[in-house]
Structures are given as C-alpha cells and as structure tokens.
Amino acid sequence: MDLLSRLSPTPLQRLSNTDIDQAGVQLYIKRDDLVHPAVSGNKWRKLKYSLLDAQHSGKKAILTFGGAYSNHLYATAAAGAALGLKTIGIVRGLELEGNDNATLQFCRANEMALHYVTREEYRQRNSEEYLQRISEQFGHPYMIPEGGSTSLALKGVAEMVTEVSDQLSAKPDFFATATGTGGTAAGILSAACDVLAFSALKGGDFLRDDIQNLLRGANSPGKLALFTAYHFGGYAKWNNELLTFIQDFRAEFGIQLEQVYTGKMFYGLLDLIRKGYFKPGTTIVAVHTGGLQGLIRM
Ligand SMILES: *Cc1c(COP(=O)(O)O)cnc(C)c1O
C-alpha cells in the first residue's frame, strides 16, 4: 500500500529567465517527475485510484494497453510488482516480439506478461466486443485502457491540482501539460482549471473530442486550449532542435526533460511566452509529467 499512500506533495518550483520576466509571466513547474522513481509523473496520478479499485474488487491481475514507448506500461508493470498484482500488457506491433526496447525490457523484468498484437488488432482496443474477448482470454483481469485514462484517472490528476492550489494559495490562470491520450488534461479541467494542452503526436485535433468524452459528467470544467503544432514530426519523433532545447533547459534550470512529451511541451510553452501569447501577470503551472526513463542519450 505504501506505493499509493503519498503524504507529501511534489515540489512546485518557480522558473524565471529574461524571456519569462519580459513577458511578465509567473511560471512554475510542478515536479511530478519526483513522485516515484518508476511509477512517475502523471502515470502515478492516473493509476492510483484504478489500482486501489483493482485491489478492492479482489482482482489478482491487471491488463492494459500500450505502444513500444509506453510510460503507462512501464508504470503499470512497476506498480503491479510493488503491489503484488499480476500485470498483462497488450503491446502494439507484432514486430516488437523478440525485439524489445528498454521500456518493454523493464516491463518484462517486472514480470509483466507481454502480448504482442498487430496494429489492426490494437486499433480495436476500445471496442466493447474486443475487450470482452480479451477479458475471457486472460481470465477476467482488471482492465485499464491505454494511457490509464479513465474517470478514476481524472480523480487522481485532480489531486495534483489541489496540491498546487495549496502550494500557491490560489489557482493558477493555466496549467500546461504534454498530451498523449488527454487523460491528464481532462483531469485538470475536471478540477475547474484552464489547461494549455500540447499534443505530443501529429494530427492531435482528435484530442479535443477525446478530452470532452473523458469529461462527461464533470461539473463546470475549465477551458481547454489545445496546441497541435509542437509535435516535432509525431509521437516519439524528435530532431536536433528539440534535443538542443532539452540540453539548454537543463543547463538553465537544472531540470531534466525528455524528448517524447515534456521537452515538446516546454518548447511550445516558452515559444508562446516569447510570442506574447499571455497577458502580463499571468500565472502558469507547467506539469513535469515525468517519463524520464524514456530519455535517450544525447
Ligand atoms: C503519458 C504521458 C503524457 C501524456 O498523458 P495523457 O494523460 O495520456 O495525455 C505526458 N507526459 C508524460 C511524461 C507521459 O508519460
């Protein structure tokens, strides 16, 4: 139970440099990368209540979905190992079988059973019929969708918002977050805060609907601003400009980002700040959603 009962909030740090100060913006970083060494960042927030629910419902195994670079699979494998729950990962891409990358090797080392499927099969991951079949096949495990994004995930993410509001003694004008499935953005919105969401994938406009769907039933959610241009070629794609930005960011602020999510988000956010997108006096909390195990050597 220790894994899930964090008592102290993750740090909130002020970031300032000439660009930020000139824009008159107060920028903070919420260090959720420090929430746990393996179950890091938003994955810990999003999994917390699903894992408790799995335990309460007496399930012995968890099944979930992810791609080769999935921080969610990584976090689920580590959490399952820590909590004594079996884990099963449905992995996108048959070609990965026998060809694991570091993320999938970590999952395996934490005894996650990896089940590789074709991209066509993976596309059915949210269909009722498919989920029923998979559930039968694996002995009715506790099922968590891709990215862990469920209504229970929203509740976990909303706790991060409460921590920040306590730390600042007020709500910030905006939260900024990197976005993959939209669960984190939806969680912050569900806590009635406005969100700047930076898509980590190409063609991220669909996220608007996905986030709306996750928010169904939420009371007066915050406003969403979705930025889809800072994807650097697509999911898990990057170039030298992004890698240089990540190195410069670390040199300037002493904080490590990675190239799949948080590097793209901060690149976009600082670009908006420089371009005068925000009124002077605006307070922004950018969430460091973790994912550092996926950092490539630069
Ligand atoms: C998964 C992940 C995201 C995306 O979160 P969603 O809730 O799926 O939008 C952002 N940052 C990091 C580091 C992640 O691992």
Side-chain angles (χ1 to χ4, degrees):
M1 277 305 297
D2 268 342
L3 172 76
L4 300 175
S5 49
R6 253 196 91 79
L7 295 175
S8 53
T10 57
L12 183 73
Q13 296 170 345
R14 179 95 184 251
L15 298 180
S16 107
N17 66 16
T18 328
D19 289 339
I20 300 166
D21 296 347
Q22 257 169 19
V25 165
Q26 288 173 45
L27 178 61
Y28 296 86
I29 182 167
K30 176 64 170 166
R31 296 296 305 277
D32 264 11
D33 55 316
L34 302 176
V35 78
H36 186 272
V39 189
S40 97
N42 63 345
K43 299 306 183 286
W44 187 89
R45 302 283 183 188
K46 294 204 291 180
L47 278 169
K48 177 179 171 183
Y49 286 102
S50 290
L51 293 172
L52 288 170
D53 192 37
Q55 286 183 324
H56 291 159
S57 53
K59 294 280 189 183
K60 301 279 181 279
I62 296 170
L63 182 147
T64 193
F65 301 82
Y69 296 92
S70 172
N71 294 332
H72 168 66
L73 283 184
Y74 188 103
T76 304
L83 297 171
L85 289 163
K86 286 205 180 100
T87 53
I88 302 150
I90 307 292
V91 183
R92 173 173 171 270
L94 269 184
E95 75 280 4
L96 293 164
E97 189 148 24
N99 202 9
D100 287 349
N101 64 8
T103 297
L104 297 177
Q105 277 165 23
F106 175 90
C107 291
R108 215 186 269 293
N110 281 272
E111 319 235 326
M112 177 176 261
L114 298 179
H115 179 74
Y116 302 85
V117 300
T118 62
R119 277 146 212 276
E120 290 72 54
E121 179 170 342
Y122 192 81
R123 242 173 260 135
Q124 302 175 53
R125 66 191 176 278
N126 295 321
S127 107
E128 208 55 56
E129 222 181 291
Y130 178 69
L131 290 173
Q132 240 167 49
R133 184 151 64 75
I134 285 283
S135 172
E136 300 265 321
Q137 187 181 339
F138 290 97
H140 304 285
Y142 188 87
M143 311 269 280
I144 301 179
E146 181 184 60
S149 294
T150 61
S151 55
L152 288 174
L154 270 53
K155 183 174 163 186
V157 172
E159 287 182 351
M160 184 276 295
V161 172
T162 306
E163 280 182 22
V164 168
S165 303
D166 289 347
Q167 286 167 316
L168 283 177
S169 305
K171 274 185 186 174
D173 296 306
F174 298 103
F175 277 87
T177 187
T179 299
T181 63
T184 305
I188 301 168
L189 292 163
S190 77
C193 287
D194 293 349
V195 172
L196 315 161
F198 294 85
S199 174
L201 31 90
K202 195 153 87 180
D205 284 307
F206 70 91
L207 286 166
R208 219 179 296 277
D209 285 343
D210 286 5
I211 290 170
Q212 279 321 316
N213 286 337
L214 283 166
L215 277 172
R216 239 180 269 145
N219 245 336
S220 53
K223 279 203 299 285
L224 170 70
L226 177 65
F227 301 94
T228 57
Y230 299 107
H231 57 71
F232 288 86
Y235 181 69
K237 301 236 163 74
W238 57 83
N239 62 17
N240 281 332
E241 191 187 359
L242 181 63
L243 298 187
T244 302
F245 170 78
I246 290 169
Q247 285 171 334
D248 292 348
F249 190 94
R250 192 176 66 178
E252 187 167 19
F253 300 113
I255 296 172
Q256 183 71 58
L257 306 174
E258 45 64 58
Q259 76 287 349
V260 180
Y261 291 105
T262 50
K264 295 180 183 181
M265 183 267 286
F266 269 104
Y267 183 101
L269 181 59
L270 292 174
D271 189 49
L272 293 176
I273 289 174
R274 265 193 311 272
K275 288 178 172 159
Y277 181 91
F278 302 102
K279 282 196 297 236
T282 302
T283 309
I284 305 165
V285 172
V287 187
H288 194 322
T289 42
L292 291 174
Q293 79 279 344
L295 178 68
I296 55 158
R297 226 178 270 145
M298 311 184 179

